[in-house]
Amino acid sequence: MKVTLFATCLVDMFQSDVGKATVEVLERLGCEIDFPDSQVCCGQPAYNSGYVKDSKEAMKKMIQTFENAEYIVCPSGSCAFMFHEYQHVFKGDSVWEPKAKKLANKTYELSQFIVDVLKVEDVGARLEGKATYHTSCHMTRLLGVKKAPMTLLSNVKGLEFTELPGKEQCCGFGGTFSVKMSQISEQMVDEKVQHVEETHAEYLIGADAGCLMNIGGRINRQGKPIKVMHIAEVLNCQ
């Protein structure tokens, strides 16, 4: 099966190990990986800030970049959802709406692709320790991916899992929200870190680089002994 990787800006610039882990996991599962170097930002920051017209150029670029992909896999529920949002942005456009719909139909978040397309629930991963999982807003509420990551994590050997209290609450990142509303964002992420501590977890696992960067940054500044890991990294542990 040929898979085209949509790496996302944050993974590309700040969390390259997540991209590497994604590729290695998929290759072990028999996928042939392609990475088009013409990919850019999906346009989400501008779009969410209200600059819809300006964001369309980036969207068109991405549609063209992934036009010939068989499957598109993204290690981010938020960015994967943005590809699905394109069809609504270009609604009524006779040229770009059909292309946007085609893009959406073949785009998957990593855990979603592994469970729903590859039909794999155990990737053979092993990680000893206590863990909890942050359910990011875009991935669960908008993309609708809830069961897949939990299914995969439940089959990681040696991992003792505890559900995160208040898991439905936003971590305070929200892209530009954390910049524009920094004081509110800080209170939200402090509450999230408190909930993580309540589980006595050694690992905080998530599927969105933005959320993990936000929560992980706060954990680091507070000197908490909690390791933050992307689900791709966990699934790549042997």
Side-chain angles (χ1 to χ4, degrees):
M1 184 176 290
K2 293 184 178 180
V3 171
T4 300
L5 177 64
F6 168 28
T8 80
C9 299
L10 291 183
V11 168
D12 184 42
M13 293 187 289
F14 299 112
Q15 300 181 10
S16 58
D17 286 346
V18 172
K20 293 176 184 177
T22 299
V23 170
E24 290 174 0
V25 169
L26 291 175
E27 285 182 337
R28 281 205 311 274
L29 295 176
C31 298
E32 179 184 339
I33 312 299
D34 172 50
F35 180 80
D37 56 14
S38 59
Q39 59 184 282
V40 294
C41 176
C42 65
Q44 183 174 176
Y47 177 73
N48 287 347
S49 296
Y51 298 100
V52 179
K53 182 179 179 180
D54 296 316
S55 66
K56 284 185 177 180
E57 290 307 310
M59 294 179 189
K60 290 178 180 179
K61 173 70 173 177
M62 293 296 264
I63 290 173
Q64 292 171 329
T65 296
F66 291 93
E67 195 164 13
N68 297 318
E70 183 177 342
Y71 289 98
I72 302 165
V73 175
C74 175
S76 165
S78 179
C79 295
F81 167 74
M82 193 61 206
F83 268 18
H84 286 260
E85 186 69 7
Y86 284 9
Q87 59 190 314
H88 303 296
V89 175
F90 290 105
K91 187 173 180 60
D93 189 311
S94 60
V95 175
W96 292 101
E97 184 182 5
K99 292 183 178 182
K101 286 183 177 180
K102 182 180 177 182
L103 182 78
N105 290 336
K106 58 185 179 181
T107 298
Y108 298 86
E109 180 273 331
L110 175 62
S111 67
Q112 179 190 31
F113 180 76
I114 293 173
V115 174
D116 296 345
V117 179
L118 296 182
K119 305 300 181 182
V120 174
E121 296 187 353
D122 187 344
V123 301
R126 173 177 288 277
L127 179 64
E128 300 286 342
K130 298 179 180 180
T132 192
Y133 178 78
H134 167 64
T135 54
S136 54
C137 299
H138 279 190
M139 183 163 161
T140 55
R141 299 175 188 175
L142 300 180
L143 191 60
V145 177
K146 301 177 182 178
K147 294 182 179 180
M150 303 312 303
T151 297
L152 293 170
L153 291 175
S154 68
N155 288 310
V156 174
K157 308 299 185 297
L159 197 64
E160 182 183 336
F161 186 82
T162 301
E163 186 172 282
L164 184 64
K167 63 179 182 178
E168 71 285 348
Q169 297 172 3
C170 176
C171 71
F173 178 62
T176 57
F177 174 82
S178 60
V179 178
K180 295 177 179 178
M181 303 289 183
S182 59
Q183 292 182 325
I184 298 176
S185 175
E186 180 180 337
Q187 292 178 22
M188 293 170 72
V189 74
D190 278 346
E191 185 173 17
K192 183 65 66 174
V193 172
Q194 180 183 334
H195 288 324
V196 174
E197 284 190 293
E198 289 172 7
T199 68
H200 303 289
E202 300 167 78
Y203 302 100
L204 169 65
I205 303 169
D208 268 297
C211 298
L212 293 179
M213 184 172 67
N214 185 47
I215 305 171
R218 197 61 178 164
I219 286 174
N220 183 59
R221 285 190 292 275
Q222 293 181 354
K224 308 293 185 182
I226 303 167
K227 184 174 181 179
V228 177
M229 297 183 71
H230 190 280
I231 191 171
E233 297 175 299
V234 176
L235 298 179
N236 201 37
C237 290
Q238 298 293 301

